[in-house]
Amino acid sequence: MAEYNRVSECVGVITLRNPPVNALSAAVRQGIVDAVQRALSDPNVKSVVICGQNGIFCGGADIKEFGSNMTGHPLIPMIHAIESANKPVVAAIEGSALGGGLELALGCHYRIAHSKARLGLPEVSLGLLPAAGGSQRLPRLIGVPAALNLITTGRHVTAAEALQLGIVDQVTDHNTVDAAVKFALSVAGRSLDPRRISTHPCPQQPDLDALFEEVMQKVRQSARGAIAPIACVQAVRAAATLPYAQGMERERELMATLFTSGQARALQYCFFAERAVGRWRMPSGARWDTSKSRPVHKAAVIGLGTMGRGITVALAQTGLSVIAVETQEKQLMEAKQAISGMLERGAKRRGVAPALDGVIYSQNIQAVADVDLVIEAVFEDIALKTKVFQQLSAVCKPGTLLCTNTSALDVDQLASETPNPELVVGMHFFAPAHVMKLLEVVYGPRSSPQAVATAMQLGKKMGKASVAVGNCRGFVGNRMLKPYIEEAFFLLEEGATPELVDQALEEFGFPMGVFRMSDLSGLDVGWRVRKGDGLVEPGTASGRFARIRQGRRYSPLGDLLCEEGRFGQKTGRGWYQYDKPGSRVARSDPWLHSFLGAYRAQHGLVARRIDHQEVLERCLYALINEGFHILDDGIAAGPEDIDVIYVSGYGWPRHRGGPMFYANMVGLAKVLERLEHYQQLHPEVPHLQPSSLLRRLVASGSPPIHKWGEAIKKLHSQL
Ligand SMILES: C[C@H](O)[C@H](C)C(=O)SCCNC(=O)CCNC(=O)[C@H](O)C(C)(C)COP(=O)([O-])OP(=O)([O-])OC[C@H]1O[C@@H](n2cnc3c(N)ncnc32)[C@H](O)[C@@H]1OP(=O)([O-])[O-]
């Protein structure tokens, strides 16, 4: 709701009250309408200030209302009534003014912001566009290019940048409401016509068509199938070419195409899923709100290879002091240089001083004796990691949390090498660790809730999307990736090409298909893991048993390429060819195509036509099916955990919501039917065998995704 007071005798102050972000719910909108009416009809009131309680102006329209029929006073006429008021209305912006919140402020005649405030129109990140006049008023206020940038990216700007752009009139370091009241007093009685943004013509832009063409091309390229960014460009074009009223009509039309779209639902699901994973819970019943994290003032990183360097930077950027340990002197010197460079570049981008002094380098593991938390990032070898954990147990002070950055090894096995297994968790970062958002916090059966709480808290502090998952081979992300990659290999055997498979996945929205991604990360990485799994035996890549390993279908295609030294970009040859080792532009390789032909002939395989639909169904449904096994095993607490992992760490297109959300959109019965179809065709492929949880969910009427949690609990209780 919105509260109304009169201060300084003649200033009406309207305070939005809807914790935690004063979202413009129906009650708040009605409260504003009533309060504005009171202020305008009170002869004692000369000017008005609008602000938000608890140091935040307004987080925009209430996203929770989008799922149901919108009721209450509409936003557009509410804002119009403020703009056309005959008394100056000043917005006092603290914390955030986002989406409808900024649109409300743009309807006011003046805007005062606190220096720490953030402003923006992030609707595009929810699959929408600024639909309360923002797409028409912002270009009129700050010009077309700047408005296009803010609206198509959805980025938040600082108060300083907002002042420079002309969005706000004043920035203060003091109490913003007081500053706004003082300002409101100073502008009482002034003409307001020049302050009604909607009445302004849009600043002329030379060569408008060329600008919009260029922006639309860029947006289409980066959108990868998302429709909202394109609609945002079209809405701003309306502002630049049409009178305000017609522009508003165009804004309304475009919003109508987006509001009920599957993409908007997927992106709003992601918004809430990213907040839901912070409310973690373990099968033991331990939860985020009943488990206290330990304070971490000092941390350490053991092993300064690529991952160790990125982790050190991510920790140092939080302001923590970090001990970075590397036993090899040459490696240590190289790491120091690399880390300093990353810290300086990061600080420059964020406009802050680099935290170089926060990192202490050492060759001696003794140096970590008094830290609160250690992250081990040495080479992915269980024997080496075990030795490091034994050394740490001997060196570290009591209570120090021992975390491993392993991407696939058994966290509980490492824990068993220490006297306090409850202090051991996995912190699985993704390369580059100081850039990639995702962090899998892996708990073993003996990890304490406090250890999980501390790792999750540290992840949040590093700005990571931290997801708590159980310990198993490959945890969640890599475990689901395995059947996805295997299906891609099988499709090559049956007639597909890397180009066809990658094109299907990239049109779906992935930044890179399986084979381009494999060339980037290096084919030898997967080869080493398959060797570790005992799947690769010398000389078994040909002959009758080449395509059956451990009792199931196996494709040695990747192994054969590695035996040829084709590791991908780093060798200039992989599934594609590259101009030279290290270059990134993939080109079709005739050698690879004739190799596939020869391989099929050798194994009596006849190539057949494979379409994009089959590629998507086999690769994505195999991945999703593993997701259901993971939910059934309790390794992930809910579908949101899996979806946040895939969207923030594996390139799953955000406008598709994530693998489990996508399965829900496609329909669980359809996913089950297609898996059964392919399983019949390929009985030697166990990962196509539908998960029993999927079967049971379909049998129980395919409940909507937000009901899966309770449905799974109920199904488990019936077992
Ligand atoms: C017509 C108009 O054109 C259109 C159509 C629109 O206006 S569309 C809407 C456009 N607005 C946005 O895109 C802004 C979205 N919000 C944010 O970016 C951030 O929230 C924040 C404002 C920067 C604060 O960050 P935070 O880190 O301090 O807290 P939090 O954990 O994120 O959020 C705290 C709690 O508030 C909830 N919440 C936040 N914003 C909300 C919103 N707009 N509606 C409903 N709930 C919201 C959130 O789910 C969480 O709930 P819970 O998990 O505790 O139950």
Side-chain angles (χ1 to χ4, degrees), residues 493-572:
E493 293 189 335
E494 296 162 33
T497 61
E499 292 82 352
L500 176 114
V501 172
D502 283 354
Q503 193 189 2
L505 294 168
E506 287 161 21
E507 281 175 9
F508 179 80
F510 280 95
M512 266 190 187
V514 173
F515 297 107
R516 284 206 308 133
M517 178 55 83
S518 172
D519 274 359
L520 173 69
S521 49
L523 279 73
D524 51 329
V525 177
W527 198 29
R528 228 186 352 262
V529 173
R530 291 191 296 276
K531 281 182 179 165
D533 289 346
L535 285 164
V536 180
E537 306 304 334
T540 56
S542 56
R544 203 157 63 77
F545 297 102
R547 299 180 50 246
I548 297 288
R549 306 279 166 88
Q550 298 170 355
R552 55 188 174 78
R553 181 176 172 181
Y554 178 82
S555 170
L557 282 169
D559 308 337
L560 290 168
L561 260 64
C562 287
E563 283 166 14
E564 297 283 332
R566 298 176 70 99
F567 295 158
Q569 287 183 4
K570 58 181 136 187
T571 56

Coordinates of all heavy atoms in Angstrom, one line a residue, residues 493-572:
E493 N 27.2 -41.5 -35.4 CA 27.3 -42.9 -35.9 C 26.2 -43.2 -36.9 O 26.4 -43.9 -37.8 CB 27.3 -43.9 -34.7 CG 28.5 -43.8 -33.8 CD 28.5 -45.0 -32.8 OE1 27.4 -45.5 -32.5 OE2 29.6 -45.4 -32.4
E494 N 25.0 -42.6 -36.6 CA 23.8 -43.0 -37.3 C 23.6 -42.1 -38.6 O 22.6 -42.3 -39.3 CB 22.6 -43.0 -36.4 CG 22.7 -44.0 -35.3 CD 21.7 -43.7 -34.1 OE1 20.6 -43.2 -34.4 OE2 22.1 -44.0 -33.0
G495 N 24.5 -41.1 -38.8 CA 24.4 -40.4 -40.0 C 24.4 -38.9 -39.9 O 24.5 -38.1 -40.9
A496 N 24.4 -38.4 -38.7 CA 24.5 -36.9 -38.5 C 25.9 -36.4 -38.7 O 26.9 -37.2 -38.7 CB 24.0 -36.5 -37.1
T497 N 26.1 -35.1 -38.7 CA 27.4 -34.5 -38.8 C 27.5 -33.6 -37.6 O 26.5 -33.1 -37.0 CB 27.6 -33.7 -40.1 OG1 26.6 -32.6 -40.0 CG2 27.4 -34.5 -41.3
P498 N 28.8 -33.2 -37.2 CA 28.9 -32.3 -36.1 C 28.2 -31.0 -36.4 O 27.5 -30.4 -35.5 CB 30.4 -32.1 -36.0 CG 31.0 -33.3 -36.6 CD 30.1 -33.7 -37.7
E499 N 28.2 -30.5 -37.7 CA 27.6 -29.3 -38.1 C 26.1 -29.3 -37.8 O 25.5 -28.4 -37.3 CB 27.9 -29.0 -39.5 CG 29.3 -28.7 -39.9 CD 30.2 -29.9 -40.1 OE1 29.7 -31.0 -39.8 OE2 31.3 -29.8 -40.4
L500 N 25.5 -30.5 -38.2 CA 24.0 -30.6 -38.1 C 23.6 -30.6 -36.6 O 22.7 -29.9 -36.2 CB 23.5 -31.9 -38.7 CG 22.0 -32.1 -38.5 CD1 21.3 -32.1 -39.8 CD2 21.8 -33.5 -37.8
V501 N 24.3 -31.4 -35.8 CA 24.0 -31.5 -34.3 C 24.2 -30.1 -33.7 O 23.3 -29.6 -33.0 CB 24.9 -32.5 -33.6 CG1 24.7 -32.5 -32.1 CG2 24.6 -33.9 -34.2
D502 N 25.3 -29.4 -34.0 CA 25.6 -28.1 -33.4 C 24.6 -27.1 -33.8 O 24.1 -26.3 -33.0 CB 27.0 -27.7 -33.7 CG 28.1 -28.4 -32.9 OD1 27.7 -29.1 -32.0 OD2 29.3 -28.2 -33.1
Q503 N 24.2 -27.1 -35.1 CA 23.2 -26.1 -35.6 C 21.9 -26.3 -34.9 O 21.3 -25.3 -34.4 CB 23.1 -26.3 -37.1 CG 22.3 -25.1 -37.7 CD 22.0 -25.4 -39.2 OE1 22.2 -26.5 -39.7 NE2 21.3 -24.4 -39.8
A504 N 21.5 -27.5 -34.7 CA 20.2 -27.8 -34.0 C 20.2 -27.2 -32.6 O 19.3 -26.5 -32.2 CB 19.9 -29.2 -34.0
L505 N 21.3 -27.5 -31.9 CA 21.4 -27.0 -30.5 C 21.6 -25.5 -30.4 O 21.1 -24.8 -29.5 CB 22.6 -27.7 -29.8 CG 22.4 -29.2 -29.7 CD1 23.7 -29.9 -29.2 CD2 21.3 -29.5 -28.6
E506 N 22.3 -24.9 -31.4 CA 22.5 -23.4 -31.4 C 21.2 -22.7 -31.8 O 20.9 -21.7 -31.2 CB 23.7 -23.1 -32.2 CG 25.0 -23.5 -31.6 CD 26.2 -23.6 -32.5 OE1 26.2 -23.0 -33.6 OE2 27.2 -24.3 -32.2
E507 N 20.4 -23.3 -32.7 CA 19.1 -22.7 -33.0 C 18.2 -22.8 -31.8 O 17.3 -22.0 -31.6 CB 18.5 -23.4 -34.2 CG 19.2 -22.9 -35.5 CD 18.7 -23.6 -36.7 OE1 17.7 -24.4 -36.6 OE2 19.3 -23.4 -37.8
F508 N 18.4 -23.8 -31.0 CA 17.6 -24.0 -29.8 C 17.9 -22.9 -28.8 O 17.1 -22.4 -28.0 CB 17.8 -25.3 -29.2 CG 17.1 -25.6 -27.9 CD1 15.7 -26.0 -27.9 CD2 17.7 -25.5 -26.6 CE1 15.0 -26.2 -26.8 CE2 16.9 -25.7 -25.5 CZ 15.6 -26.1 -25.5
G509 N 19.2 -22.4 -28.9 CA 19.6 -21.2 -28.1 C 20.9 -21.4 -27.3 O 21.3 -20.5 -26.7
F510 N 21.5 -22.6 -27.4 CA 22.8 -22.8 -26.8 C 23.8 -21.9 -27.5 O 23.8 -21.8 -28.7 CB 23.3 -24.2 -26.8 CG 22.6 -25.2 -25.8 CD1 21.5 -25.9 -26.2 CD2 23.1 -25.3 -24.6 CE1 20.9 -26.8 -25.3 CE2 22.5 -26.1 -23.6 CZ 21.4 -26.9 -24.0
P511 N 24.8 -21.3 -26.7 CA 25.8 -20.5 -27.3 C 26.7 -21.3 -28.2 O 27.2 -20.8 -29.3 CB 26.6 -19.9 -26.2 CG 26.2 -20.7 -25.0 CD 24.9 -21.3 -25.3
M512 N 26.9 -22.6 -27.9 CA 27.7 -23.5 -28.7 C 27.1 -24.9 -28.6 O 26.7 -25.3 -27.5 CB 29.1 -23.6 -28.1 CG 30.1 -22.6 -28.6 SD 31.7 -23.1 -28.0 CE 32.6 -21.7 -28.7
G513 N 27.1 -25.6 -29.7 CA 26.7 -27.0 -29.8 C 27.7 -27.9 -29.1 O 28.8 -27.4 -28.8
V514 N 27.4 -29.2 -29.0 CA 28.3 -30.1 -28.3 C 29.7 -30.1 -28.9 O 30.7 -30.1 -28.2 CB 27.7 -31.6 -28.5 CG1 28.7 -32.6 -27.9 CG2 26.4 -31.7 -27.8
F515 N 29.8 -30.2 -30.2 CA 31.1 -30.5 -30.8 C 31.9 -29.2 -30.8 O 33.2 -29.3 -30.6 CB 30.9 -31.1 -32.2 CG 30.2 -32.4 -32.1 CD1 28.9 -32.6 -32.5 CD2 30.9 -33.5 -31.6 CE1 28.2 -33.8 -32.4 CE2 30.3 -34.7 -31.4 CZ 28.9 -34.9 -31.8
R516 N 31.3 -28.1 -31.0 CA 32.2 -26.8 -30.9 C 32.6 -26.6 -29.5 O 33.8 -26.3 -29.2 CB 31.3 -25.6 -31.4 CG 31.2 -25.6 -32.9 CD 31.0 -24.2 -33.6 NE 29.9 -23.5 -33.0 CZ 30.1 -22.2 -32.7 NH1 31.2 -21.6 -32.8 NH2 29.1 -21.5 -32.2
M517 N 31.7 -27.0 -28.5 CA 32.1 -26.9 -27.1 C 33.2 -27.8 -26.8 O 34.2 -27.5 -26.1 CB 30.9 -27.1 -26.2 CG 31.2 -27.1 -24.7 SD 31.9 -25.5 -24.2 CE 30.4 -24.5 -24.1
S518 N 33.1 -29.0 -27.3 CA 34.1 -30.1 -27.1 C 35.5 -29.6 -27.6 O 36.5 -29.8 -27.0 CB 33.7 -31.4 -27.8 OG 34.7 -32.3 -27.7
D519 N 35.5 -29.0 -28.8 CA 36.7 -28.5 -29.4 C 37.3 -27.4 -28.5 O 38.5 -27.3 -28.3 CB 36.5 -27.9 -30.8 CG 36.6 -29.0 -31.9 OD1 36.8 -30.2 -31.5 OD2 36.3 -28.7 -33.1
L520 N 36.4 -26.5 -27.9 CA 36.9 -25.4 -27.0 C 37.5 -26.0 -25.8 O 38.6 -25.6 -25.4 CB 35.7 -24.5 -26.7 CG 36.0 -23.4 -25.7 CD1 36.9 -22.3 -26.3 CD2 34.7 -22.7 -25.3
S521 N 36.8 -26.9 -25.1 CA 37.3 -27.4 -23.8 C 38.4 -28.4 -24.0 O 39.1 -28.7 -23.1 CB 36.2 -27.9 -23.0 OG 35.4 -28.8 -23.7
G522 N 38.5 -29.0 -25.2 CA 39.6 -30.0 -25.5 C 39.0 -31.4 -25.4 O 38.5 -31.8 -24.3
L523 N 39.2 -32.2 -26.5 CA 38.7 -33.5 -26.5 C 39.4 -34.4 -25.5 O 38.8 -35.4 -25.0 CB 38.8 -34.2 -27.9 CG 37.7 -33.8 -28.9 CD1 37.9 -32.3 -29.4 CD2 37.8 -34.7 -30.1
D524 N 40.7 -34.0 -25.2 CA 41.5 -34.9 -24.3 C 40.9 -34.9 -22.9 O 41.1 -35.8 -22.1 CB 42.9 -34.4 -24.3 CG 43.0 -32.9 -24.1 OD1 42.1 -32.2 -24.5 OD2 44.0 -32.5 -23.5
V525 N 40.1 -33.8 -22.5 CA 39.5 -33.7 -21.1 C 38.6 -34.9 -21.0 O 38.7 -35.7 -20.0 CB 38.8 -32.4 -20.9 CG1 38.2 -32.4 -19.6 CG2 39.8 -31.2 -21.1
G526 N 37.6 -35.1 -21.9 CA 36.7 -36.2 -21.8 C 37.4 -37.5 -21.9 O 37.0 -38.5 -21.3
W527 N 38.4 -37.6 -22.8 CA 39.2 -38.8 -23.0 C 39.8 -39.3 -21.7 O 39.6 -40.5 -21.3 CB 40.3 -38.5 -24.0 CG 40.9 -39.7 -24.7 CD1 40.3 -40.9 -25.0 CD2 42.2 -39.8 -25.2 NE1 41.1 -41.8 -25.6 CE2 42.3 -41.1 -25.8 CE3 43.3 -39.0 -25.3 CZ2 43.5 -41.5 -26.4 CZ3 44.5 -39.4 -25.9 CH2 44.6 -40.7 -26.4
R528 N 40.3 -38.3 -20.9 CA 41.0 -38.7 -19.6 C 39.9 -39.2 -18.7 O 40.1 -40.2 -18.0 CB 41.6 -37.4 -19.0 CG 43.0 -37.7 -18.5 CD 43.7 -36.5 -17.8 NE 43.0 -35.3 -17.7 CZ 43.3 -34.2 -18.6 NH1 44.2 -34.4 -19.5 NH2 42.6 -33.1 -18.5
V529 N 38.7 -38.6 -18.7 CA 37.6 -39.1 -17.8 C 37.2 -40.5 -18.2 O 37.0 -41.4 -17.3 CB 36.4 -38.1 -17.8 CG1 35.2 -38.6 -17.0 CG2 36.8 -36.7 -17.3
R530 N 37.0 -40.7 -19.5 CA 36.6 -42.0 -20.0 C 37.6 -43.1 -19.6 O 37.3 -44.2 -19.3 CB 36.3 -42.0 -21.5 CG 35.0 -41.2 -21.9 CD 34.6 -41.4 -23.3 NE 35.7 -41.0 -24.3 CZ 35.8 -39.7 -24.7 NH1 35.0 -38.7 -24.2 NH2 36.7 -39.4 -25.6
K531 N 38.9 -42.7 -19.7 CA 40.0 -43.6 -19.3 C 39.8 -43.9 -17.9 O 39.9 -45.1 -17.4 CB 41.4 -43.0 -19.6 CG 41.8 -43.0 -21.1 CD 43.2 -42.4 -21.2 CE 43.7 -42.5 -22.7 NZ 44.9 -41.6 -22.9
G532 N 39.6 -42.8 -17.1 CA 39.4 -43.0 -15.6 C 38.2 -44.0 -15.3 O 38.3 -44.7 -14.3
D533 N 37.2 -44.0 -16.2 CA 36.1 -44.8 -16.0 C 36.3 -46.2 -16.5 O 35.4 -47.1 -16.6 CB 34.8 -44.2 -16.7 CG 34.3 -43.0 -15.9 OD1 34.8 -42.8 -14.8 OD2 33.6 -42.2 -16.5
G534 N 37.5 -46.5 -17.1 CA 37.9 -47.8 -17.6 C 37.1 -48.1 -18.9 O 37.0 -49.3 -19.3
L535 N 36.7 -47.1 -19.6 CA 36.0 -47.3 -20.8 C 36.9 -47.4 -22.0 O 36.6 -47.9 -23.1 CB 35.0 -46.1 -21.1 CG 33.7 -46.2 -20.2 CD1 33.0 -44.8 -20.2 CD2 32.8 -47.3 -20.7
V536 N 38.1 -46.8 -21.9 CA 39.0 -46.7 -23.0 C 40.2 -47.7 -22.8 O 41.0 -47.5 -21.9 CB 39.6 -45.3 -23.2 CG1 40.6 -45.2 -24.4 CG2 38.5 -44.2 -23.3
E537 N 40.2 -48.7 -23.5 CA 41.3 -49.7 -23.5 C 42.0 -49.6 -24.8 O 41.4 -49.6 -25.9 CB 40.7 -51.1 -23.3 CG 39.8 -51.3 -22.1 CD 40.5 -50.8 -20.8 OE1 41.7 -50.9 -20.7 OE2 39.7 -50.4 -19.9
P538 N 43.4 -49.6 -24.8 CA 44.1 -49.5 -26.0 C 43.7 -50.6 -27.0 O 43.4 -51.8 -26.6 CB 45.6 -49.8 -25.6 CG 45.6 -49.6 -24.1 CD 44.2 -49.8 -23.6
G539 N 43.5 -50.2 -28.3 CA 43.2 -51.2 -29.3 C 41.8 -51.7 -29.3 O 41.4 -52.6 -30.1
T540 N 40.9 -51.1 -28.5 CA 39.5 -51.6 -28.5 C 38.7 -50.6 -29.3 O 37.5 -50.7 -29.4 CB 39.0 -51.6 -27.1 OG1 39.1 -50.3 -26.5 CG2 39.7 -52.6 -26.2
A541 N 39.3 -49.6 -30.0 CA 38.4 -48.7 -30.7 C 38.0 -49.3 -32.0 O 37.2 -48.7 -32.8 CB 39.2 -47.4 -31.0
S542 N 38.4 -50.5 -32.3 CA 37.8 -51.1 -33.6 C 37.4 -52.5 -33.2 O 37.6 -53.0 -32.1 CB 38.9 -51.1 -34.6 OG 40.1 -51.7 -34.1
G543 N 36.8 -53.3 -34.2 CA 36.3 -54.6 -34.0 C 35.0 -54.7 -33.4 O 34.4 -53.7 -33.0
R544 N 34.5 -55.9 -33.1 CA 33.1 -56.1 -32.8 C 32.7 -55.5 -31.5 O 31.7 -54.9 -31.3 CB 32.8 -57.7 -32.7 CG 31.4 -58.1 -32.9 CD 31.4 -59.6 -33.4 NE 31.9 -60.5 -32.3 CZ 31.3 -60.9 -31.3 NH1 30.0 -60.4 -31.1 NH2 31.8 -61.7 -30.4
F545 N 33.7 -55.6 -30.5 CA 33.3 -55.1 -29.2 C 33.5 -53.6 -29.0 O 33.3 -53.0 -28.0 CB 34.0 -55.9 -28.1 CG 33.7 -57.3 -28.1 CD1 34.5 -58.3 -28.7 CD2 32.4 -57.7 -27.6 CE1 34.1 -59.6 -28.8 CE2 32.0 -59.0 -27.7 CZ 32.9 -60.0 -28.3
A546 N 34.0 -52.9 -30.1 CA 34.3 -51.5 -30.0 C 33.1 -50.7 -29.5 O 33.3 -49.7 -28.8 CB 34.8 -51.0 -31.3
R547 N 31.9 -51.1 -29.9 CA 30.8 -50.2 -29.6 C 29.9 -50.8 -28.5 O 28.8 -50.3 -28.3 CB 30.0 -50.0 -30.9 CG 30.8 -49.4 -32.0 CD 30.1 -49.1 -33.3 NE 28.8 -48.5 -33.0 CZ 27.6 -49.0 -33.2 NH1 27.6 -50.3 -33.7 NH2 26.5 -48.4 -33.0
I548 N 30.4 -51.7 -27.7 CA 29.7 -52.1 -26.4 C 30.8 -52.1 -25.3 O 31.8 -52.8 -25.5 CB 29.1 -53.5 -26.6 CG1 28.1 -53.6 -27.7 CG2 28.6 -54.0 -25.2 CD1 26.7 -52.9 -27.3
R549 N 30.6 -51.3 -24.3 CA 31.5 -51.3 -23.2 C 30.7 -51.4 -21.9 O 29.7 -50.7 -21.7 CB 32.3 -50.0 -23.2 CG 33.1 -49.7 -24.4 CD 34.4 -50.4 -24.6 NE 34.9 -50.3 -26.0 CZ 35.6 -49.3 -26.4 NH1 36.0 -48.3 -25.6 NH2 36.0 -49.2 -27.7
Q550 N 31.2 -52.1 -21.0 CA 30.5 -52.3 -19.7 C 29.0 -52.6 -19.9 O 28.1 -52.1 -19.2 CB 30.7 -51.1 -18.8 CG 32.2 -50.9 -18.5 CD 32.5 -49.5 -17.8 OE1 31.6 -48.7 -17.7 NE2 33.8 -49.3 -17.4
G551 N 28.8 -53.4 -20.9 CA 27.4 -53.9 -21.2 C 26.4 -52.9 -21.8 O 25.2 -53.2 -21.9
R552 N 27.0 -51.8 -22.2 CA 26.1 -50.9 -22.9 C 26.7 -50.3 -24.1 O 27.9 -50.3 -24.3 CB 25.6 -49.8 -21.9 CG 26.7 -49.0 -21.3 CD 26.1 -48.1 -20.2 NE 27.2 -47.4 -19.5 CZ 27.8 -46.3 -19.9 NH1 27.5 -45.9 -21.1 NH2 28.8 -45.8 -19.2
R553 N 25.9 -49.6 -25.0 CA 26.4 -49.0 -26.2 C 27.4 -48.0 -25.9 O 27.2 -47.2 -24.9 CB 25.3 -48.4 -27.0 CG 25.7 -47.8 -28.3 CD 24.5 -47.3 -29.1 NE 25.0 -46.5 -30.3 CZ 24.2 -45.9 -31.2 NH1 22.9 -46.0 -31.0 NH2 24.6 -45.2 -32.2
Y554 N 28.5 -47.9 -26.7 CA 29.5 -46.9 -26.4 C 30.0 -46.5 -27.8 O 30.2 -47.3 -28.7 CB 30.7 -47.6 -25.7 CG 31.9 -46.6 -25.4 CD1 31.9 -45.7 -24.4 CD2 33.0 -46.7 -26.3 CE1 32.9 -44.9 -24.2 CE2 34.1 -45.8 -26.1 CZ 34.0 -44.9 -25.0 OH 35.1 -44.1 -24.8
S555 N 30.3 -45.2 -27.9 CA 30.9 -44.7 -29.2 C 32.4 -44.3 -29.0 O 32.6 -43.4 -28.2 CB 30.1 -43.5 -29.7 OG 30.8 -43.0 -30.8
P556 N 33.3 -45.0 -29.7 CA 34.7 -44.7 -29.5 C 35.2 -43.5 -30.4 O 36.3 -43.2 -30.5 CB 35.4 -46.0 -29.9 CG 34.5 -46.6 -30.9 CD 33.1 -46.2 -30.5
L557 N 34.2 -42.8 -31.0 CA 34.6 -41.8 -32.0 C 35.5 -40.7 -31.3 O 36.6 -40.4 -31.9 CB 33.3 -41.0 -32.5 CG 32.5 -41.8 -33.6 CD1 31.1 -41.1 -33.8 CD2 33.3 -41.9 -34.9
G558 N 35.2 -40.3 -30.1 CA 36.0 -39.3 -29.5 C 37.4 -39.8 -29.2 O 38.4 -39.1 -29.4
D559 N 37.5 -41.1 -28.8 CA 38.8 -41.7 -28.5 C 39.6 -41.8 -29.8 O 40.8 -41.5 -29.8 CB 38.6 -43.1 -27.9 CG 37.6 -43.2 -26.8 OD1 37.4 -42.1 -26.1 OD2 37.0 -44.2 -26.5
L560 N 39.0 -42.2 -30.9 CA 39.7 -42.3 -32.2 C 40.3 -41.0 -32.6 O 41.4 -40.9 -33.0 CB 38.8 -42.8 -33.2 CG 38.3 -44.3 -33.0 CD1 37.2 -44.7 -34.0 CD2 39.5 -45.3 -33.3
L561 N 39.5 -39.9 -32.4 CA 40.1 -38.6 -32.8 C 41.2 -38.2 -31.9 O 42.2 -37.7 -32.3 CB 39.0 -37.5 -32.6 CG 38.3 -37.1 -33.9 CD1 37.5 -38.3 -34.5 CD2 37.3 -35.9 -33.7
C562 N 41.1 -38.6 -30.6 CA 42.2 -38.2 -29.7 C 43.5 -39.0 -30.0 O 44.6 -38.5 -30.0 CB 41.8 -38.5 -28.2 SG 40.6 -37.3 -27.6
E563 N 43.3 -40.3 -30.5 CA 44.4 -41.1 -30.9 C 45.1 -40.5 -32.1 O 46.3 -40.7 -32.3 CB 44.0 -42.5 -31.2 CG 43.7 -43.3 -29.9 CD 43.0 -44.7 -30.1 OE1 42.9 -45.1 -31.3 OE2 42.5 -45.2 -29.1
E564 N 44.3 -39.7 -32.8 CA 44.9 -38.9 -34.0 C 45.5 -37.6 -33.5 O 45.9 -36.8 -34.4 CB 43.8 -38.7 -35.0 CG 43.1 -39.9 -35.6 CD 44.0 -40.5 -36.7 OE1 44.8 -39.7 -37.3 OE2 43.9 -41.7 -36.8
G565 N 45.5 -37.3 -32.3 CA 46.0 -36.0 -31.8 C 45.1 -34.9 -32.0 O 45.5 -33.7 -32.0
R566 N 43.8 -35.2 -32.3 CA 42.9 -34.1 -32.6 C 42.2 -33.7 -31.3 O 41.1 -34.3 -31.0 CB 41.9 -34.6 -33.7 CG 42.5 -34.9 -35.1 CD 41.4 -35.5 -36.0 NE 40.5 -34.4 -36.4 CZ 40.6 -33.8 -37.6 NH1 41.6 -34.1 -38.4 NH2 39.7 -32.8 -38.0
F567 N 42.8 -32.8 -30.6 CA 42.2 -32.4 -29.3 C 41.3 -31.1 -29.4 O 40.8 -30.6 -28.4 CB 43.3 -32.1 -28.3 CG 44.1 -33.4 -27.9 CD1 45.4 -33.3 -27.4 CD2 43.6 -34.6 -28.2 CE1 46.1 -34.4 -27.1 CE2 44.3 -35.8 -27.9 CZ 45.6 -35.7 -27.3
G568 N 41.1 -30.6 -30.6 CA 40.2 -29.4 -30.8 C 41.0 -28.2 -31.0 O 42.1 -28.2 -31.7
Q569 N 40.5 -27.0 -30.5 CA 41.2 -25.8 -30.8 C 42.7 -25.8 -30.5 O 43.5 -25.3 -31.3 CB 40.5 -24.6 -30.0 CG 39.1 -24.3 -30.6 CD 38.5 -23.1 -29.8 OE1 39.1 -22.6 -28.9 NE2 37.2 -22.8 -30.1
K570 N 43.0 -26.4 -29.4 CA 44.4 -26.3 -29.0 C 45.4 -27.0 -29.9 O 46.6 -26.7 -30.0 CB 44.6 -26.8 -27.5 CG 44.1 -28.2 -27.3 CD 44.4 -28.6 -25.8 CE 43.2 -29.3 -25.2 NZ 43.3 -29.5 -23.7
T571 N 44.8 -27.9 -30.8 CA 45.7 -28.6 -31.8 C 45.3 -28.2 -33.2 O 45.8 -28.7 -34.2 CB 45.6 -30.1 -31.6 OG1 44.2 -30.5 -31.8 CG2 46.1 -30.6 -30.3
G572 N 44.3 -27.3 -33.3 CA 43.9 -26.8 -34.6 C 43.0 -27.8 -35.4 O 42.6 -27.5 -36.5

